[in-house]
Amino acid sequence: MHPAASLLIFTTASGLGFGLLALLGVGLPRFDGLSAWAFYSLGFALACGGLLASTAHLGHPERALKAFREWRSSWLSREAWASAATLAVMGIYAVLHLLWGLRVAPLGWLGTALCLGTVVATSRIYAQLRTVPRWNHWSTTALFLGYALSGGALLAGQVTAALLLLILTGGAQIAAWMDGDRRFAARRHSIPSATGLGAPGGIRQFEPPHTGSNYLTREMVFVVARKHVAKLRVIGLALAVLLPVGLLVLPFSHILAALAVVSHVAGVVVIRWLFFAEAEHVVGLYYGRDPVRR
Amino acid sequence: MTQLPPQSGEGAAVKLGLVIDLDTCVGCHACVIACKGWNTENYGAPLAETDPYGAAPEGAFLNRVHSYEITPEDAPARIVHFPKSCLHCEDAPCVTVCPTGASYKRAEDGIVLVNESDCIGCGLCAWACPYGAREQDPSEKVMKKCTLCVDRIYNESLPEEDRTPACVRTCPAGARHFGDLGDPDSDVSQLVAARGGYDLMPELGTRPVNKYLPPRPKDDEIDVLAPLLEPVAQEPRGFLGWLDRALERL
């Protein structure tokens, strides 16, 4: 799939933002005054910035509000509702806390639940697609939650929680990559199943339907990145998990913590870029691209 | 409304669709052009082109013809031309993912359409479609797809023989058939039954309405006249024979 910058920013920033807000909702870290202002601002800026970036992906951003209509069937619509509800509830919670020093705990818990619900809805936009076997699995949701919470814990300065979450998420990511590499073959999608013709290995594209590219080949049959997959996975994991873990076990300092955050965000961007770039859409089979028999 | 219409009783619902005969299709792409021609002038936004006369022409099409080479182990290789457009699936994933309700399946005849004024151009329906049936128009930025020429098939201002999708009307080989696949007695249903029509990517559970008819096996028997066509001189004789033997000895 084509890794559009808007979708990279959307999933990464809103994930981090909702991860941080989820922790703030349960009262972590326990700050008041100026520090609290800084934490809430960062959380809302990331969440709202990510959501705004997602509208850049639309052909008609001016019609974005119509996306609230079909929550009964569409995960994209549910994501819109969940994020709006989260921002409203957490907004009220933050205002009560910052202006009147009131922490309404149940409201915070509700906000935390909504934050996690929003991340789940975002992940389901991708995980629901049976046409992309690599995404079509519960591990996609688990990883979106994992990165949101570990990034949130890092931003919130929760060292122990961040260490634990980073290690868990890193392990889950490795397992998901290994499993995902096998899924296209396991689902038995092939040029013969796509066309009803021939046997595997006994059919190939003779000529494409047109000489140039089209929306589908640019959007769905994206293959540029796959050459460097192994290297990028190592780089992504090193930046997102290993370096932050290393920096966190050192004696605490604000500079090291900031470095850990920067490294983690850079790593998540690399991994999210791979998430899109590596995803093989079954429509590629019609264009002679069989990821199992490359 | 992007929930799928409730399924009526078995065999009761009208399911309009196409039957495409891969044995007959000659790969002329006339259906592609007829489709683009009709749909650029009629229902919805025109199908745009970018850089049409330049180095990298590209544009939106609702129908495209792929070509495959099949190489069976026990038969000669053959080329199969493979037209592909929206299959108007009964369990259409492009409909349920749509956040705005722009993408919908009609209850009365099963045609999957896009209400372009509600489309936000998020492209999720194209990602959800296994068949590549939807493309975003490069100018209008809304999703375009086969309408089964909904503005022809019910159009009483057209002569009756033209009330069929443009691709079907134009096909010079008669490789495309249009009809009600929900009615087991319709011509198209009979054709599917007789020729073993099949679904594309059945493992995804989309239950396409459109069916494909497989290429017929080529004749195995060798023509009775073939022995008479055997080469007359199996062994070279005369001057060529001498030359052959002389060259062998070198």
PDB file of all heavy atoms in Angstrom, chain B residues 118-149:
ATOM      1  N   ASP B 118     -21.828  12.826  -1.682  1.00  0.00           N
ATOM      2  CA  ASP B 118     -21.535  12.455  -0.294  1.00  0.00           C
ATOM      3  C   ASP B 118     -20.144  11.855  -0.125  1.00  0.00           C
ATOM      4  O   ASP B 118     -19.716  11.571   0.984  1.00  0.00           O
ATOM      5  CB  ASP B 118     -22.571  11.441   0.217  1.00  0.00           C
ATOM      6  CG  ASP B 118     -23.832  12.129   0.719  1.00  0.00           C
ATOM      7  OD1 ASP B 118     -23.839  13.371   0.761  1.00  0.00           O
ATOM      8  OD2 ASP B 118     -24.792  11.420   1.051  1.00  0.00           O
ATOM      9  N   CYS B 119     -19.453  11.607  -1.246  1.00  0.00           N
ATOM     10  CA  CYS B 119     -18.155  10.919  -1.174  1.00  0.00           C
ATOM     11  C   CYS B 119     -17.082  11.890  -0.712  1.00  0.00           C
ATOM     12  O   CYS B 119     -16.930  12.975  -1.268  1.00  0.00           O
ATOM     13  CB  CYS B 119     -17.799  10.359  -2.550  1.00  0.00           C
ATOM     14  SG  CYS B 119     -16.186   9.559  -2.582  1.00  0.00           S
ATOM     15  N   ILE B 120     -16.321  11.480   0.354  1.00  0.00           N
ATOM     16  CA  ILE B 120     -15.256  12.358   0.840  1.00  0.00           C
ATOM     17  C   ILE B 120     -13.911  11.984   0.219  1.00  0.00           C
ATOM     18  O   ILE B 120     -12.887  12.576   0.549  1.00  0.00           O
ATOM     19  CB  ILE B 120     -15.154  12.330   2.388  1.00  0.00           C
ATOM     20  CG1 ILE B 120     -14.910  10.904   2.916  1.00  0.00           C
ATOM     21  CG2 ILE B 120     -16.404  12.914   3.015  1.00  0.00           C
ATOM     22  CD1 ILE B 120     -14.644  10.851   4.423  1.00  0.00           C
ATOM     23  N   GLY B 121     -13.898  10.963  -0.637  1.00  0.00           N
ATOM     24  CA  GLY B 121     -12.655  10.584  -1.318  1.00  0.00           C
ATOM     25  C   GLY B 121     -11.605  10.006  -0.390  1.00  0.00           C
ATOM     26  O   GLY B 121     -10.421  10.269  -0.558  1.00  0.00           O
ATOM     27  N   CYS B 122     -12.036   9.222   0.611  1.00  0.00           N
ATOM     28  CA  CYS B 122     -11.058   8.640   1.540  1.00  0.00           C
ATOM     29  C   CYS B 122     -10.390   7.399   0.943  1.00  0.00           C
ATOM     30  O   CYS B 122      -9.319   6.998   1.381  1.00  0.00           O
ATOM     31  CB  CYS B 122     -11.694   8.295   2.885  1.00  0.00           C
ATOM     32  SG  CYS B 122     -12.890   6.941   2.849  1.00  0.00           S
ATOM     33  N   GLY B 123     -11.042   6.798  -0.048  1.00  0.00           N
ATOM     34  CA  GLY B 123     -10.425   5.663  -0.741  1.00  0.00           C
ATOM     35  C   GLY B 123     -10.525   4.338  -0.009  1.00  0.00           C
ATOM     36  O   GLY B 123     -10.024   3.320  -0.486  1.00  0.00           O
ATOM     37  N   LEU B 124     -11.191   4.334   1.156  1.00  0.00           N
ATOM     38  CA  LEU B 124     -11.243   3.085   1.925  1.00  0.00           C
ATOM     39  C   LEU B 124     -12.007   1.997   1.167  1.00  0.00           C
ATOM     40  O   LEU B 124     -11.691   0.815   1.268  1.00  0.00           O
ATOM     41  CB  LEU B 124     -11.876   3.348   3.299  1.00  0.00           C
ATOM     42  CG  LEU B 124     -11.746   2.242   4.330  1.00  0.00           C
ATOM     43  CD1 LEU B 124     -10.293   1.853   4.549  1.00  0.00           C
ATOM     44  CD2 LEU B 124     -12.360   2.660   5.662  1.00  0.00           C
ATOM     45  N   CYS B 125     -13.024   2.388   0.375  1.00  0.00           N
ATOM     46  CA  CYS B 125     -13.789   1.393  -0.388  1.00  0.00           C
ATOM     47  C   CYS B 125     -12.893   0.707  -1.413  1.00  0.00           C
ATOM     48  O   CYS B 125     -13.027  -0.493  -1.647  1.00  0.00           O
ATOM     49  CB  CYS B 125     -14.988   2.044  -1.069  1.00  0.00           C
ATOM     50  SG  CYS B 125     -14.576   3.456  -2.105  1.00  0.00           S
ATOM     51  N   ALA B 126     -11.961   1.481  -2.000  1.00  0.00           N
ATOM     52  CA  ALA B 126     -11.051   0.881  -2.977  1.00  0.00           C
ATOM     53  C   ALA B 126     -10.098  -0.094  -2.281  1.00  0.00           C
ATOM     54  O   ALA B 126      -9.734  -1.122  -2.838  1.00  0.00           O
ATOM     55  CB  ALA B 126     -10.258   1.960  -3.702  1.00  0.00           C
ATOM     56  N   TRP B 127      -9.712   0.230  -1.047  1.00  0.00           N
ATOM     57  CA  TRP B 127      -8.853  -0.677  -0.289  1.00  0.00           C
ATOM     58  C   TRP B 127      -9.604  -1.943   0.096  1.00  0.00           C
ATOM     59  O   TRP B 127      -9.024  -3.015   0.208  1.00  0.00           O
ATOM     60  CB  TRP B 127      -8.354   0.001   0.992  1.00  0.00           C
ATOM     61  CG  TRP B 127      -7.320   1.053   0.784  1.00  0.00           C
ATOM     62  CD1 TRP B 127      -7.045   1.713  -0.385  1.00  0.00           C
ATOM     63  CD2 TRP B 127      -6.407   1.568   1.760  1.00  0.00           C
ATOM     64  NE1 TRP B 127      -6.036   2.606  -0.178  1.00  0.00           N
ATOM     65  CE2 TRP B 127      -5.626   2.542   1.124  1.00  0.00           C
ATOM     66  CE3 TRP B 127      -6.187   1.297   3.113  1.00  0.00           C
ATOM     67  CZ2 TRP B 127      -4.632   3.254   1.789  1.00  0.00           C
ATOM     68  CZ3 TRP B 127      -5.199   2.013   3.778  1.00  0.00           C
ATOM     69  CH2 TRP B 127      -4.433   2.979   3.117  1.00  0.00           C
ATOM     70  N   ALA B 128     -10.914  -1.800   0.326  1.00  0.00           N
ATOM     71  CA  ALA B 128     -11.703  -2.955   0.781  1.00  0.00           C
ATOM     72  C   ALA B 128     -12.068  -3.876  -0.369  1.00  0.00           C
ATOM     73  O   ALA B 128     -12.423  -5.028  -0.154  1.00  0.00           O
ATOM     74  CB  ALA B 128     -12.966  -2.474   1.484  1.00  0.00           C
ATOM     75  N   CYS B 129     -12.000  -3.368  -1.612  1.00  0.00           N
ATOM     76  CA  CYS B 129     -12.404  -4.173  -2.763  1.00  0.00           C
ATOM     77  C   CYS B 129     -11.255  -5.068  -3.215  1.00  0.00           C
ATOM     78  O   CYS B 129     -10.168  -4.570  -3.504  1.00  0.00           O
ATOM     79  CB  CYS B 129     -12.821  -3.259  -3.923  1.00  0.00           C
ATOM     80  SG  CYS B 129     -13.111  -4.180  -5.452  1.00  0.00           S
ATOM     81  N   PRO B 130     -11.471  -6.390  -3.286  1.00  0.00           N
ATOM     82  CA  PRO B 130     -10.395  -7.278  -3.714  1.00  0.00           C
ATOM     83  C   PRO B 130     -10.102  -7.174  -5.214  1.00  0.00           C
ATOM     84  O   PRO B 130      -9.062  -7.620  -5.666  1.00  0.00           O
ATOM     85  CB  PRO B 130     -10.924  -8.681  -3.398  1.00  0.00           C
ATOM     86  CG  PRO B 130     -12.214  -8.510  -2.707  1.00  0.00           C
ATOM     87  CD  PRO B 130     -12.693  -7.122  -2.932  1.00  0.00           C
ATOM     88  N   TYR B 131     -11.064  -6.635  -5.967  1.00  0.00           N
ATOM     89  CA  TYR B 131     -11.007  -6.762  -7.425  1.00  0.00           C
ATOM     90  C   TYR B 131     -10.490  -5.508  -8.124  1.00  0.00           C
ATOM     91  O   TYR B 131     -10.411  -5.481  -9.347  1.00  0.00           O
ATOM     92  CB  TYR B 131     -12.404  -7.104  -7.946  1.00  0.00           C
ATOM     93  CG  TYR B 131     -13.004  -8.285  -7.222  1.00  0.00           C
ATOM     94  CD1 TYR B 131     -14.076  -8.128  -6.345  1.00  0.00           C
ATOM     95  CD2 TYR B 131     -12.472  -9.555  -7.380  1.00  0.00           C
ATOM     96  CE1 TYR B 131     -14.608  -9.204  -5.659  1.00  0.00           C
ATOM     97  CE2 TYR B 131     -12.997 -10.646  -6.695  1.00  0.00           C
ATOM     98  CZ  TYR B 131     -14.062 -10.461  -5.836  1.00  0.00           C
ATOM     99  OH  TYR B 131     -14.578 -11.529  -5.154  1.00  0.00           O
ATOM    100  N   GLY B 132     -10.178  -4.480  -7.386  1.00  0.00           N
ATOM    101  CA  GLY B 132      -9.716  -3.251  -8.028  1.00  0.00           C
ATOM    102  C   GLY B 132     -10.803  -2.605  -8.856  1.00  0.00           C
ATOM    103  O   GLY B 132     -10.540  -2.036  -9.906  1.00  0.00           O
ATOM    104  N   ALA B 133     -12.049  -2.687  -8.369  1.00  0.00           N
ATOM    105  CA  ALA B 133     -13.167  -2.195  -9.164  1.00  0.00           C
ATOM    106  C   ALA B 133     -13.405  -0.701  -8.983  1.00  0.00           C
ATOM    107  O   ALA B 133     -14.195  -0.122  -9.708  1.00  0.00           O
ATOM    108  CB  ALA B 133     -14.429  -2.955  -8.797  1.00  0.00           C
ATOM    109  N   ARG B 134     -12.740  -0.101  -8.001  1.00  0.00           N
ATOM    110  CA  ARG B 134     -12.997   1.314  -7.729  1.00  0.00           C
ATOM    111  C   ARG B 134     -11.717   2.112  -7.878  1.00  0.00           C
ATOM    112  O   ARG B 134     -10.660   1.705  -7.417  1.00  0.00           O
ATOM    113  CB  ARG B 134     -13.497   1.478  -6.288  1.00  0.00           C
ATOM    114  CG  ARG B 134     -14.908   0.996  -6.111  1.00  0.00           C
ATOM    115  CD  ARG B 134     -15.212   0.857  -4.637  1.00  0.00           C
ATOM    116  NE  ARG B 134     -16.628   0.618  -4.451  1.00  0.00           N
ATOM    117  CZ  ARG B 134     -17.480   1.529  -4.010  1.00  0.00           C
ATOM    118  NH1 ARG B 134     -17.060   2.724  -3.683  1.00  0.00           N
ATOM    119  NH2 ARG B 134     -18.764   1.248  -3.895  1.00  0.00           N
ATOM    120  N   GLU B 135     -11.853   3.268  -8.516  1.00  0.00           N
ATOM    121  CA  GLU B 135     -10.710   4.162  -8.661  1.00  0.00           C
ATOM    122  C   GLU B 135     -11.162   5.565  -8.287  1.00  0.00           C
ATOM    123  O   GLU B 135     -12.310   5.927  -8.502  1.00  0.00           O
ATOM    124  CB  GLU B 135     -10.204   4.153 -10.107  1.00  0.00           C
ATOM    125  CG  GLU B 135      -9.755   2.768 -10.549  1.00  0.00           C
ATOM    126  CD  GLU B 135      -9.268   2.716 -11.989  1.00  0.00           C
ATOM    127  OE1 GLU B 135      -8.987   3.776 -12.555  1.00  0.00           O
ATOM    128  OE2 GLU B 135      -9.187   1.606 -12.526  1.00  0.00           O
ATOM    129  N   GLN B 136     -10.209   6.332  -7.731  1.00  0.00           N
ATOM    130  CA  GLN B 136     -10.557   7.714  -7.424  1.00  0.00           C
ATOM    131  C   GLN B 136     -10.334   8.558  -8.679  1.00  0.00           C
ATOM    132  O   GLN B 136      -9.288   8.470  -9.312  1.00  0.00           O
ATOM    133  CB  GLN B 136      -9.703   8.243  -6.278  1.00  0.00           C
ATOM    134  CG  GLN B 136     -10.207   9.583  -5.760  1.00  0.00           C
ATOM    135  CD  GLN B 136      -9.429  10.043  -4.538  1.00  0.00           C
ATOM    136  OE1 GLN B 136      -8.409  10.677  -4.648  1.00  0.00           O
ATOM    137  NE2 GLN B 136      -9.922   9.703  -3.356  1.00  0.00           N
ATOM    138  N   ASP B 137     -11.330   9.355  -9.022  1.00  0.00           N
ATOM    139  CA  ASP B 137     -11.183  10.209 -10.193  1.00  0.00           C
ATOM    140  C   ASP B 137     -10.097  11.246  -9.926  1.00  0.00           C
ATOM    141  O   ASP B 137     -10.138  11.925  -8.905  1.00  0.00           O
ATOM    142  CB  ASP B 137     -12.505  10.908 -10.509  1.00  0.00           C
ATOM    143  CG  ASP B 137     -12.404  11.664 -11.820  1.00  0.00           C
ATOM    144  OD1 ASP B 137     -12.649  11.043 -12.858  1.00  0.00           O
ATOM    145  OD2 ASP B 137     -12.049  12.857 -11.794  1.00  0.00           O
ATOM    146  N   PRO B 138      -9.120  11.371 -10.848  1.00  0.00           N
ATOM    147  CA  PRO B 138      -8.003  12.277 -10.571  1.00  0.00           C
ATOM    148  C   PRO B 138      -8.397  13.749 -10.508  1.00  0.00           C
ATOM    149  O   PRO B 138      -7.677  14.539  -9.895  1.00  0.00           O
ATOM    150  CB  PRO B 138      -7.034  12.019 -11.728  1.00  0.00           C
ATOM    151  CG  PRO B 138      -7.830  11.366 -12.794  1.00  0.00           C
ATOM    152  CD  PRO B 138      -8.953  10.640 -12.109  1.00  0.00           C
ATOM    153  N   SER B 139      -9.511  14.142 -11.121  1.00  0.00           N
ATOM    154  CA  SER B 139      -9.914  15.555 -11.059  1.00  0.00           C
ATOM    155  C   SER B 139     -10.981  15.795 -10.013  1.00  0.00           C
ATOM    156  O   SER B 139     -10.896  16.723  -9.223  1.00  0.00           O
ATOM    157  CB  SER B 139     -10.471  16.019 -12.405  1.00  0.00           C
ATOM    158  OG  SER B 139      -9.541  15.782 -13.403  1.00  0.00           O
ATOM    159  N   GLU B 140     -12.015  14.955 -10.023  1.00  0.00           N
ATOM    160  CA  GLU B 140     -13.151  15.181  -9.130  1.00  0.00           C
ATOM    161  C   GLU B 140     -12.897  14.700  -7.720  1.00  0.00           C
ATOM    162  O   GLU B 140     -13.604  15.065  -6.781  1.00  0.00           O
ATOM    163  CB  GLU B 140     -14.402  14.489  -9.681  1.00  0.00           C
ATOM    164  CG  GLU B 140     -15.001  15.169 -10.890  1.00  0.00           C
ATOM    165  CD  GLU B 140     -15.530  16.561 -10.578  1.00  0.00           C
ATOM    166  OE1 GLU B 140     -16.114  16.747  -9.494  1.00  0.00           O
ATOM    167  OE2 GLU B 140     -15.352  17.454 -11.414  1.00  0.00           O
ATOM    168  N   LYS B 141     -11.881  13.809  -7.554  1.00  0.00           N
ATOM    169  CA  LYS B 141     -11.506  13.286  -6.233  1.00  0.00           C
ATOM    170  C   LYS B 141     -12.649  12.560  -5.537  1.00  0.00           C
ATOM    171  O   LYS B 141     -12.787  12.618  -4.317  1.00  0.00           O
ATOM    172  CB  LYS B 141     -10.980  14.405  -5.322  1.00  0.00           C
ATOM    173  CG  LYS B 141      -9.783  15.159  -5.907  1.00  0.00           C
ATOM    174  CD  LYS B 141      -8.547  14.317  -5.895  1.00  0.00           C
ATOM    175  CE  LYS B 141      -7.345  15.055  -6.461  1.00  0.00           C
ATOM    176  NZ  LYS B 141      -6.248  14.150  -6.782  1.00  0.00           N
ATOM    177  N   VAL B 142     -13.523  11.948  -6.344  1.00  0.00           N
ATOM    178  CA  VAL B 142     -14.540  11.071  -5.758  1.00  0.00           C
ATOM    179  C   VAL B 142     -14.333   9.678  -6.344  1.00  0.00           C
ATOM    180  O   VAL B 142     -13.654   9.518  -7.355  1.00  0.00           O
ATOM    181  CB  VAL B 142     -15.978  11.545  -6.064  1.00  0.00           C
ATOM    182  CG1 VAL B 142     -16.259  12.864  -5.365  1.00  0.00           C
ATOM    183  CG2 VAL B 142     -16.204  11.663  -7.564  1.00  0.00           C
ATOM    184  N   MET B 143     -14.906   8.664  -5.682  1.00  0.00           N
ATOM    185  CA  MET B 143     -14.687   7.302  -6.124  1.00  0.00           C
ATOM    186  C   MET B 143     -15.606   6.979  -7.301  1.00  0.00           C
ATOM    187  O   MET B 143     -16.806   7.278  -7.265  1.00  0.00           O
ATOM    188  CB  MET B 143     -14.917   6.317  -4.968  1.00  0.00           C
ATOM    189  CG  MET B 143     -14.041   6.592  -3.757  1.00  0.00           C
ATOM    190  SD  MET B 143     -12.275   6.813  -4.082  1.00  0.00           S
ATOM    191  CE  MET B 143     -11.804   5.166  -4.593  1.00  0.00           C
ATOM    192  N   LYS B 144     -15.012   6.377  -8.333  1.00  0.00           N
ATOM    193  CA  LYS B 144     -15.768   6.015  -9.527  1.00  0.00           C
ATOM    194  C   LYS B 144     -15.821   4.492  -9.627  1.00  0.00           C
ATOM    195  O   LYS B 144     -14.856   3.800  -9.287  1.00  0.00           O
ATOM    196  CB  LYS B 144     -15.081   6.579 -10.776  1.00  0.00           C
ATOM    197  CG  LYS B 144     -14.897   8.083 -10.784  1.00  0.00           C
ATOM    198  CD  LYS B 144     -16.193   8.854 -10.818  1.00  0.00           C
ATOM    199  CE  LYS B 144     -16.963   8.642 -12.123  1.00  0.00           C
ATOM    200  NZ  LYS B 144     -18.177   9.513 -12.157  1.00  0.00           N
ATOM    201  N   LYS B 145     -16.926   4.000 -10.105  1.00  0.00           N
ATOM    202  CA  LYS B 145     -17.057   2.555 -10.290  1.00  0.00           C
ATOM    203  C   LYS B 145     -18.128   2.260 -11.321  1.00  0.00           C
ATOM    204  O   LYS B 145     -18.925   3.133 -11.662  1.00  0.00           O
ATOM    205  CB  LYS B 145     -17.388   1.869  -8.971  1.00  0.00           C
ATOM    206  CG  LYS B 145     -18.789   2.202  -8.475  1.00  0.00           C
ATOM    207  CD  LYS B 145     -19.137   1.413  -7.249  1.00  0.00           C
ATOM    208  CE  LYS B 145     -19.231  -0.070  -7.559  1.00  0.00           C
ATOM    209  NZ  LYS B 145     -20.251  -0.398  -8.571  1.00  0.00           N
ATOM    210  N   CYS B 146     -18.161   1.005 -11.775  1.00  0.00           N
ATOM    211  CA  CYS B 146     -19.180   0.553 -12.725  1.00  0.00           C
ATOM    212  C   CYS B 146     -20.570   0.760 -12.137  1.00  0.00           C
ATOM    213  O   CYS B 146     -20.840   0.384 -11.000  1.00  0.00           O
ATOM    214  CB  CYS B 146     -18.960  -0.929 -13.022  1.00  0.00           C
ATOM    215  SG  CYS B 146     -20.380  -1.748 -13.772  1.00  0.00           S
ATOM    216  N   THR B 147     -21.460   1.377 -12.920  1.00  0.00           N
ATOM    217  CA  THR B 147     -22.834   1.590 -12.466  1.00  0.00           C
ATOM    218  C   THR B 147     -23.776   0.570 -13.104  1.00  0.00           C
ATOM    219  O   THR B 147     -24.988   0.666 -12.938  1.00  0.00           O
ATOM    220  CB  THR B 147     -23.323   2.995 -12.864  1.00  0.00           C
ATOM    221  OG1 THR B 147     -23.409   3.038 -14.295  1.00  0.00           O
ATOM    222  CG2 THR B 147     -22.363   4.068 -12.383  1.00  0.00           C
ATOM    223  N   LEU B 148     -23.194  -0.363 -13.840  1.00  0.00           N
ATOM    224  CA  LEU B 148     -23.957  -1.289 -14.668  1.00  0.00           C
ATOM    225  C   LEU B 148     -24.828  -0.491 -15.650  1.00  0.00           C
ATOM    226  O   LEU B 148     -25.885  -0.921 -16.073  1.00  0.00           O
ATOM    227  CB  LEU B 148     -24.811  -2.232 -13.797  1.00  0.00           C
ATOM    228  CG  LEU B 148     -24.933  -3.678 -14.243  1.00  0.00           C
ATOM    229  CD1 LEU B 148     -23.568  -4.336 -14.437  1.00  0.00           C
ATOM    230  CD2 LEU B 148     -25.736  -4.500 -13.252  1.00  0.00           C
ATOM    231  N   CYS B 149     -24.336   0.694 -15.978  1.00  0.00           N
ATOM    232  CA  CYS B 149     -25.048   1.631 -16.863  1.00  0.00           C
ATOM    233  C   CYS B 149     -26.502   1.783 -16.420  1.00  0.00           C
ATOM    234  O   CYS B 149     -27.435   1.592 -17.199  1.00  0.00           O
ATOM    235  CB  CYS B 149     -24.938   1.212 -18.322  1.00  0.00           C
ATOM    236  SG  CYS B 149     -23.322   1.587 -19.015  1.00  0.00           S
TER     237      CYS B 149
END
